[in-house]
Amino acid sequence: MSAPRPLGFVATVVESARQTALRLRHHRVWTLVLLGAAVLYGIAWLVGYQVGRRTEADGVSAYCNLAWWLQATVVTPWLTLYLGVQALHGGLEDRTFQYLFLRPVSRVALLLGNWLAVGAVSAVVGAVGSCVLFAGMADNRDLWPDGPDWRYAGDFAAACAVAAFAYAAAAMAFSAYFRRPLVWAAFFVVGLQQVVANLPISAGLRSATITDPLRRFVLDRIEPNQRLARELWPAELNFDPETIGAPLQDLAWFVLVTLALGALVYARTEYDARARD
């Protein structure tokens, strides 16, 4: 009886993504995610209620600020990085990587499958979170004299979905290289790059982050007035649509470079068991 043929590269990526998604489905973090959704709804309703008591109440501005500064730059990055580290680094902690690495499969394909699964799962959660925030804000009818415009929820859902794949790529790279990937990822990706993206420095340096092109992607979709643009982009005192550039291209380059570095390290490193992060 002949031995079964090993999976090809693409089939390995797909199978790795499928198995990673199954593992994530049973993760204990989802209880916290459900509680977090309820908290997001409550925060949005409360913020909308407070804003609605003002004479210059503006539901669009209130929602965009909350969706950007809370959902897009805090919740989605942290959740994606956590899931990404658990997906790839978890196998290095419990030694299951030894079984996988003895199989005739590509390590690069395994990493790409993890990235796809984490990015897809986080994209869905980020999109749902954006809609939950809007639902909480929309319950304050005084903010929407012409009725809630759900287009803005769709804009931020798309932004969170795009961000999820970028942060998932960063999680793969940090998990492949560092023994404490969540700590380093939090410092560099959530901390340092957020600071760089919000400083009045060169556009080229800011575009190397996730936050700056993601914000330009959001501004391009929502077409804000100058006041809202300044609230979302404090370093840009006078927003000019010409400064948007090609945000998706910048994010694509970030993902490609980060995945390439992570795959190179993952394919060449001889791992031993790592302490749990």
Side-chain angles (χ1 to χ4, degrees):
M1 183 175 179
S2 60
R5 293 178 58 186
L7 294 175
F9 185 88
V10 175
T12 302
V13 172
V14 173
E15 182 60 21
S16 174
R18 186 185 72 85
Q19 294 190 19
T20 301
L22 289 175
R23 293 199 306 271
L24 292 176
R25 186 181 66 178
H26 299 291
H27 203 284
R28 61 182 180 274
V29 74
W30 300 118
T31 301
L32 296 177
V33 169
L34 291 175
L35 292 175
V39 171
L40 286 178
Y41 182 92
I43 291 174
W45 185 90
L46 183 60
V47 169
Y49 174 75
Q50 294 295 331
V51 172
R53 298 172 65 183
R54 306 173 186 173
T55 57
E56 68 277 9
D58 182 3
V60 173
S61 178
Y63 171 73
C64 288
N65 271 282
L66 193 60
W68 172 252
W69 293 110
L70 179 59
Q71 180 66 36
T73 63
V74 177
V75 177
T76 295
W78 276 105
L79 177 66
T80 306
L81 289 172
Y82 176 77
L83 293 179
V85 168
Q86 294 302 310
L88 190 67
H89 193 259
L92 304 179
E93 294 171 347
D94 59 20
R95 292 181 178 269
T96 55
F97 74 92
Q98 294 176 334
Y99 169 77
L100 291 174
F101 288 178
L102 290 174
R103 308 289 292 177
V105 294
S106 168
R107 292 191 189 186
V108 175
L110 294 174
L111 180 140
L112 291 178
N114 277 271
W115 167 69
L116 281 175
V118 171
V121 170
S122 299
V124 172
V125 176
V128 171
S130 300
C131 294
V132 167
L133 278 176
F134 192 89
M137 193 72 68
D139 268 352
N140 293 276
R141 299 298 178 180
D142 293 339
L143 293 175
W144 312 94
D146 299 323
D149 188 349
W150 281 87
R151 176 178 65 87
Y152 293 98
D155 292 338
F156 277 95
C160 288
V162 170
F165 284 96
Y167 284 111
M172 297 298 107
F174 280 94
S175 296
Y177 187 80
F178 291 106
R179 284 184 171 271
R180 298 285 184 181
L182 195 58
V183 175
W184 286 100
F187 174 72
F188 282 106
V189 180
V190 179
L192 185 60
Q193 70 103 22
Q194 293 276 14
V195 173
V196 171
N198 287 291
L199 287 177
I201 56 179
S202 69
L205 185 58
R206 292 201 310 265
S207 66
T209 67
I210 299 174
T211 300
D212 181 73
L214 183 66
R215 174 167 43 210
R216 288 186 279 118
F217 174 77
V218 168
L219 293 175
D220 187 38
R221 293 180 68 93
I222 66 175
E223 299 177 351
N225 55 34
Q226 286 295 327
R227 177 181 177 181
L228 178 56
R230 284 195 299 270
E231 291 171 348
L232 300 182
W233 199 350
E236 195 75 12
L237 297 180
N238 295 301
F239 172 66
D240 182 0
E242 296 296 327
T243 61
I244 289 176
L248 289 180
Q249 179 179 310
D250 293 337
L251 286 169
W253 275 112
F254 179 91
V255 170
L256 288 174
V257 171
T258 307
L259 282 179
L261 292 174
L264 180 65
V265 173
Y266 195 62
R268 293 175 175 266
T269 303
E270 295 299 326
Y271 294 101
D272 54 2
R274 295 181 169 189
R276 183 168 295 275
D277 200 352

